[in-house]
Amino acid sequence: MDVNAAVAALAALAGVCTGVVAMLAFRWSEREQAKPTRSSLHTEAVLPPGVDTVLSVLRSSAVVLDESDSVVKASSAAYALGLVRGGKLAVEPMLVMARDTRRDGEIRQIELDLPRRGNGRGDGLAVSARVAPLGSRLVLLLVEDLTEARRIEAVRRDFVANVSHELKTPVGALSLLSEAVMDASDDPEAVTRFAGRMQVEATRLTSLVQELIDLSRVQNDDPLEDAEPVRVDELVAEAIDRCRHAAGTKQITMAAGGTADLHVWGNRGQLAAALGNLIENAVNYSPARTRVGIAARRITVHGGEMLEIAVTDQGIGISDRDKERIFERFYRVDPARSRATGGTGLGLAIVKHVAASHGGEVTVWSAEGQGSTFTLRLPEAARERDRDKADRRDQSLVEPDEVGDDAAADRPYETFTDESLPAPEVLP
């Protein structure tokens, strides 16, 4: 009996000990779960309800920081701008501003110039950063990219400055010449000479104002609103007629040719103005008794068929340095020569805008002393192209021996020489 009692006592004592240990383990587990872990700290620093949705639709780059300056939320634009790297805000001035806002709750804003990511070439990024408290523990940083707005503003300032300068020159000349006419009222020969100069300056002023109007129109108007299929042959003929007098004065021969019966889809007036500017430049910058050629052809590029209209001259040529800037407004390769020919520096800028608005481009090949070739590339009118293909297919079935060879359309354009011209029809 004593042995049984002892065993029973030991069993009871073991049960009590097991219960105590189990209770202590349970209490310890609850305490450990209640402790704030590293992950639970981040889960507590969650965004307030609805903020995540708002940040996802903002155009600005958004970054949310917690009390340890760790990034809780960042938009893809923030990573693209290089604001966030390795889970941290990488721009020190923004980080300092965020800490100050977290300390006193005051909203702050600053504009900064940041280097571009990658090789660092080109202009930097201009940004505007605004920091505001978000709740009691978070800070919201909104960054707006101002680079494009700054560039447009710089272009606008340069444009206004250039226009003011270009307008002041002929206006000032007219004012001085009118005073000279008044002073020389008793000298008919001087009056005639000064009046002739006034006409030159008035013509130059009229051309400048007209080209400013044309440039404004091609920038603001949508050419496809009034688009139609336009015959390239008619555009070339119209542009040549526009420059016929100037070419005849310098005894310059103009030649037109290439593939016939091509059609481009676009605004007839804008296309005629662009091609006319190219031919006018070729005539103005070519020596006397030389040749200017205009040739059109169809080419196949990725995405469809395009038309190329090339204008080639035997002029002074363009250096490599100037080729990168000739399509800028008011830029002139030879300012003295431009003033002598009445150039405003806006013609090629108009050509560039017309080509871009029609879904094409304009390129240039040139070498100093060897002339230049400007190539206007535009989309072909699809309906006219399909009709032309059908006509050629029908002709090949009826008269296979009389079909022309279009291989010449695939040959690249070459510069003109005195011995050869790619255009078969010469227009005096």
Side-chain angles (χ1 to χ4, degrees), residues 268-304:
R268 182 186 185 87
Q270 292 188 14
L271 293 172
L275 185 57
N277 286 341
L278 291 180
I279 298 177
E280 185 176 8
N281 277 359
V283 172
N284 289 337
Y285 287 92
S286 293
R289 294 178 295 277
T290 56
R291 298 181 180 182
V292 171
I294 308 97
R297 67 172 182 173
R298 179 187 292 113
I299 63 171
T300 301
V301 297
H302 178 69

Side-chain angles (χ1 to χ4, degrees), residues 239-402:
I240 288 177
D241 287 339
R242 167 180 167 180
C243 306
R244 191 182 300 275
H245 176 72
T249 302
K250 300 174 66 175
Q251 298 181 8
I252 293 176
T253 301
M254 290 186 291
T259 306
D261 200 28
L262 297 178
H263 292 76
V264 63
W265 184 262
N267 184 288
R268 182 186 185 87
Q270 292 188 14
L271 293 172
L275 185 57
N277 286 341
L278 291 180
I279 298 177
E280 185 176 8
N281 277 359
V283 172
N284 289 337
Y285 287 92
S286 293
R289 294 178 295 277
T290 56
R291 298 181 180 182
V292 171
I294 308 97
R297 67 172 182 173
R298 179 187 292 113
I299 63 171
T300 301
V301 297
H302 178 69
E305 291 184 324
M306 305 280 287
L307 300 183
E308 282 189 349
I309 308 174
V311 179
T312 305
D313 61 60
Q314 296 173 289
I316 60 176
I318 306 171
S319 66
D320 292 336
R321 180 187 69 257
D322 292 323
K323 278 191 291 188
E324 299 178 357
R325 301 191 58 190
I326 56 175
F327 294 102
E328 296 179 10
R329 302 165 182 170
F330 297 107
Y331 185 80
R332 299 181 178 91
V333 175
D334 187 350
R337 188 181 183 93
S338 295
R339 295 191 183 279
T341 58
T344 62
L346 290 174
L348 291 180
I350 293 175
V351 175
K352 179 181 178 180
H353 281 289
V354 170
S357 63
H358 283 75
E361 62 177 351
V362 58
T363 59
V364 58
W365 175 94
S366 184
E368 293 185 89
Q370 301 182 29
S372 306
T373 297
F374 285 85
T375 302
L376 186 62
R377 179 178 293 181
L378 299 166
E380 186 178 7
R383 288 183 300 176
E384 302 299 330
R385 181 187 66 234
D386 296 340
R387 184 183 305 170
D388 180 59
K389 286 183 177 179
D391 292 342
R392 284 187 292 174
R393 182 173 61 251
D394 295 340
Q395 184 179 5
S396 65
L397 294 175
V398 177
E399 300 175 348
D401 295 332
E402 298 181 6

